[in-house]
Amino acid sequence: MSKHHQTAKELLQALGGSSNIANYTHCMTRLRVTPVDHNRIDEASIKQVKGVVGVVNDDTYQIILGPGVVTKVAEQFGIVLQEDSAAPSSEDLTSKGTDMKSELKKKNNTPFKNFLRKVGSIFIPLIPAFVGAGLIAGIASILANSITAGDLDKDTWQQYVTILNVIKNAIFSYLVIYVGINAAKEFGATPALGGVIGGITLLTGVTEEFPIMNIFTDQPLTAGQGGVIGVLIAVWLLSFLEKFLRRFIPDAIDIIVTPTIALLIVGLLTIFFIMPFAGLISSNLIGGIDWTLERGGVFAGFVLGVAFLPLVMLGLHQVLIPIHIEMINTAGMTILLPILAMSGAGQVGATLALWVRCRKNKSLVTIIKGALPVGILGIGEPLIYGVILPLGRPFITACIGGGIGGAVIGMFGNVGSIAIGPSGLALIPLIAHGLWLKYIIGLLAGYAGGFICTYLFGIPKEAITEGSNNKEVPEAKTKLKLLQQVRKKK
């Protein structure tokens, strides 16, 4: 039995067994489980499972396992569910959990939480593709710049740039289709129809000779206008129309009539109304962000750098993905991502300060050694939940360090990323227009800010030496003890 299979088995047991699992998925660092009844979850046991870095108890129960590990554990989690012969069918789960879910919905399913959850469910499955294709795009960009500068022979290397761009374009050129499919799953529409609606926004077949005019500006529509924002609106309408049609159309002809009418109506609405409207939203949103960063500069960068780490901690940062994508679609880069990435630099600096000041605390140092490498590469949750958050004060000083790095990037201005996914050092190849040196300066400022603030003001006394009897923050010491096993999983 593999260690990941054992981890999955222990997690399933602590989650209340297969009868308590309505659904599950995973992102880059978290196993996200939708339980039938939250009261059946043994959170203390989950925290003691080897490899678990932390948990976020929301409508979707999130278990932080870290990059790489979460993919393997999620795969084994599905196997463990299938192995459980006593697992009830989805119909049984729905019936059994109706009352519990109804009560939970009143407590947790606020409109804002519903919105965040749906946005996350639409875009989180695409993040691995963003990361892989984004890094490939970065390599292609570096090669192209070298060819332009004359460092590489064009006849030899241009073919490799072309091939890498073909791979990258497989997601970025057709992203609206993927988003349409995932949005349809979340909104209750037919996924294939959602993909078609997304594809409509590409305006395939429209030529300059016979353009489609924008009703708001009297200018021709452009392919992809309105981007993912328009797709989300259109697929949301599609879900309502599909459900409405199926109330009246006989089952015998539903497969023919419903998709035809739904695509025709929503397709026309998308082309003539939703794309122009979403285009206005997109241009004003991006314009507002550009204006804020241009006028705010250092101050705006500081505020964004400080605020992003709490968003990551709460799992709310996924709501920014559509904004990043729209900025890339309209300007070729997102100037938000390099600034927000400074929050990770701040916590890396804070963690280094803890390592220096608390080197006698062997258990803390062990956790730092396991979490710091991936933190430097831009995966911050192991550091958040394993190091700085349990200790309290270092979390605050890490945020300040992120703000210092963000202020530096804001001062430079126009430092953007051509794709989303990684941050930290892994973002360097994606920095647009060869401005990677400015990004590195921001990273160093974030490291230094987090280190100095934490070294001077953020070191809890109970963390300096192991086995302290200080009782001011027993919860932090308890969490640190539970998290000692993070390193052992490797």
Side-chain angles (χ1 to χ4, degrees), residues 309-345:
L309 206 56
L311 289 180
V312 175
M313 178 193 72
L314 298 172
L316 304 180
H317 57 299
Q318 307 296 349
V319 75
L320 296 173
I321 294 178
I323 298 176
H324 289 311
I325 293 173
E326 278 308 295
M327 296 188 79
I328 293 171
N329 286 339
T330 57
M333 64 179 184
T334 166
I335 57 176
L336 270 182
L337 185 55
I339 293 177
L340 299 179
M342 294 301 107
S343 64

Side-chain angles (χ1 to χ4, degrees), residues 185-303:
K185 292 178 182 177
E186 284 303 307
F187 297 143
T190 302
L193 299 184
V196 173
I197 294 299
I200 287 173
T201 65
L202 298 176
L203 299 182
T204 304
V206 175
T207 64
E208 293 183 5
E209 185 179 0
F210 298 103
I212 298 175
M213 304 306 294
N214 187 326
I215 62 172
F216 296 119
T217 64
D218 291 329
Q219 297 294 320
L221 280 179
T222 58
Q225 189 164 336
V228 296
I229 295 176
V231 174
L232 294 177
I233 295 172
V235 175
W236 179 68
L237 291 176
L238 173 70
S239 67
F240 282 102
L241 181 58
E242 270 199 89
K243 293 170 186 175
F244 174 79
L245 291 173
R246 289 200 166 97
R247 292 167 54 186
F248 304 101
I249 295 175
D251 293 340
I253 58 173
D254 173 74
I255 188 62
I256 299 173
V257 176
T258 300
T260 303
I261 296 177
L263 284 179
L264 182 61
I265 294 176
V266 178
L268 292 172
L269 288 173
T270 299
I271 294 171
F272 292 106
F273 295 99
I274 296 175
M275 286 182 66
F277 176 69
L280 287 177
I281 295 176
S282 174
S283 60
N284 284 298
L285 175 64
I286 305 308
I289 293 173
D290 289 339
W291 184 89
T292 300
L293 293 177
E294 181 181 344
R295 299 297 180 91
V298 172
F299 177 74
F302 179 82
V303 172

Side-chain angles (χ1 to χ4, degrees), residues 334-358:
T334 166
I335 57 176
L336 270 182
L337 185 55
I339 293 177
L340 299 179
M342 294 301 107
S343 64
Q347 72 171 350
V348 167
T351 303
L352 289 172
L354 286 167
W355 195 348
V356 172
R357 289 288 304 274
C358 307

Side-chain angles (χ1 to χ4, degrees), residues 153-160:
D153 179 65
K154 182 176 182 179
D155 293 336
T156 302
W157 288 95
Q158 185 59 50
Q159 58 183 328
Y160 299 112

